[in-house]
Amino acid sequence: MCFRQDGRDITAVDGVSLRLQRGRTLALVGESGCGKSATAHSVLRLIQAPGRVNGGRILLRPRGEDVINVLALSERDADLYRLRGGLVALIFQEPQSALSPVHTLGAQLCETIGIHLRIPARDAKALAIEMLEQLGLPNPAARMSQYSHELSGGMRQRAVIAMALVCRPQVLVADEPTTALDERLRAQVFQVLRRQQDQFGMAVLLVTHDFAAVAKEADDVAVMYCGQIVEQGPAPAIMCQPAHPYTRALLNSVPADMPRAATRRLPTIAGAVPERGAMPSGCRFHPRCPNAQPGLCDTKAPPLERVSAGRQLACFKAVEMCHA
């Protein structure tokens, strides 16, 4: 995936390969600007000019159907309309931009249900109210007649989540779905997501900075740096024994104990993320890596290699230690 800037193509996502499985949650983590949201939006073909997906494949296998090659669909293809909001749903990071300011919440929910589920209007309204209730909106029937500016930030966030879940998608792309919510409401939202997974086998791509959510909710983790996956595998293994220096640095910078964290300085990752159009040679993390080996890490790009069952790693030194 690339973006056109100053007359040249700037690569934003490079060689990323992810596999979503029914009933499981894959968390995509990394610093801001590493390409997480761009990867997530590409699943629904929502990358707008000057950006474009310039290679690769996005394959979706709906239950009981043939594989759909998402990138091969034209903008007028019926499968693309069926995919967006139906087979695949997206929880946008910014709810205010995802809700229409001139339509009521109920109108937007019922329109979504009508397009994808094709049920009577009365049943659509009842289903919308039920979903809002599950997500903890107070007096959900009354909220149906309100506009987005009449809702609090947390209510808007849950309204966007309701719009994504109400048609029972087979794949959910959740881009920072709970940032506007307190701890109690975050737990309630993830409870609803787990229920949808158990009932309908929904696969979830969770884009997040919240490592507490990753530890509790994710089955698998993919760590992204500068548009590439540097480590991937089962969540318990990566959270407890991170192998890539970048993954270790990310986890070390998370306060594990808030009372103690308030009295000490948290570790930070040295240096800065390189500019998109000026990536370093070799491993893209080597200028910030405490374990970088001159002549190796600054000259060759490490491939993403399988180091154990279900686990992949892109680091010369870490792979050597894993095989030692």
Side-chain angles (χ1 to χ4, degrees):
M1 181 190 306
C2 63
F3 289 84
R4 193 73 176 171
Q5 182 178 320
D6 298 329
R8 63 189 182 121
D9 288 336
I10 305 297
T11 300
V13 178
D14 185 9
V16 169
S17 180
L18 302 174
R19 183 184 180 189
L20 300 179
Q21 301 180 60
R22 290 189 178 98
R24 293 178 69 85
T25 296
L26 169 64
L28 184 60
V29 302
E31 290 172 281
S32 296
C34 71
K36 302 188 302 298
S37 291
T39 301
H41 289 196
S42 68
V43 177
L44 287 92
R45 292 266 302 275
L46 294 177
I47 302 299
Q48 298 181 345
R52 72 180 191 280
V53 179
N54 57 342
R57 300 182 302 167
I58 300 173
L59 304 179
L60 174 67
R61 188 190 296 275
R63 282 187 292 271
E65 301 183 35
D66 293 334
V67 173
I68 298 173
N69 184 350
V70 178
L71 293 182
L73 301 177
S74 71
E75 283 296 328
R76 296 182 178 273
D77 197 305
D79 272 339
L80 188 58
Y81 285 96
R82 186 167 69 100
L83 182 146
R84 290 173 174 163
L87 294 174
V88 183
L90 171 64
I91 298 174
F92 289 89
Q93 187 171 351
E94 178 45 63
Q96 186 64 30
S97 63
L99 294 171
S100 168
V102 297
H103 296 90
T104 64
L105 175 58
Q108 294 176 74
L109 280 166
C110 290
E111 180 184 28
T112 301
I113 296 168
I115 290 172
H116 296 290
L117 298 186
R118 301 184 183 279
I119 61 178
R122 179 180 297 180
D123 294 340
K125 182 177 180 180
L127 181 59
I129 292 172
E130 179 187 351
M131 182 56 67
L132 293 175
E133 185 175 21
Q134 286 185 37
L135 289 165
L137 263 76
N139 199 355
R143 304 298 174 196
M144 293 281 285
S145 62
Q146 291 185 312
Y147 295 87
S148 61
H149 70 271
E150 298 178 290
L151 304 174
S152 69
M155 288 180 182
R156 285 195 293 267
Q157 184 71 43
R158 284 174 285 167
V160 169
I161 295 171
M163 291 181 67
L165 295 179
V166 74
C167 292
R168 300 165 186 165
Q170 296 186 29
V171 177
L172 176 69
V173 180
D175 191 358
E176 298 286 0
T178 59
T179 51
L181 306 178
D182 61 30
E183 186 174 349
R184 180 183 64 82
L185 292 176
R186 282 199 296 270
Q188 189 169 6
V189 166
F190 281 117
Q191 184 180 41
V192 174
L193 295 184
R194 288 194 299 270
R195 191 182 304 135
Q196 294 265 114
Q197 285 185 303
D198 293 341
Q199 285 184 278
F200 309 115
M202 180 177 69
V204 177
L205 176 61
L206 175 64
V207 178
T208 185
H209 291 95
D210 186 352
F211 280 96
V214 173
K216 291 179 182 178
E217 309 298 338
D219 300 294
D220 306 287
V221 178
V223 183
M224 181 176 272
Y225 183 75
C226 287
Q228 297 179 329
I229 301 298
V230 297
E231 186 167 5
Q232 187 170 358
I238 289 181
M239 295 298 290
C240 295
Q241 292 181 313
H244 196 280
Y246 178 61
T247 310
R248 292 200 297 268
L250 275 181
L251 291 172
N252 285 338
S253 66
V254 176
D257 184 333
M258 290 306 294
R260 281 182 50 212
T263 63
R264 63 181 177 88
R265 187 179 181 86
L266 287 173
T268 58
I269 304 176
V273 177
E275 295 289 335
R276 282 290 179 199
M279 290 295 171
S281 59
C283 172
R284 294 181 179 181
F285 186 62
H286 88 262
R288 309 174 71 189
C289 180
N291 302 328
Q293 179 178 327
L296 175 63
C297 300
D298 55 353
T299 59
K300 295 174 61 179
L304 188 64
E305 296 181 353
R306 181 180 181 272
V307 293
S308 61
R311 191 158 186 184
Q312 295 176 293
L313 188 62
C315 176
F316 294 118
K317 304 297 289 182
V319 167
E320 289 175 8
M321 288 188 286
C322 287
H323 291 320

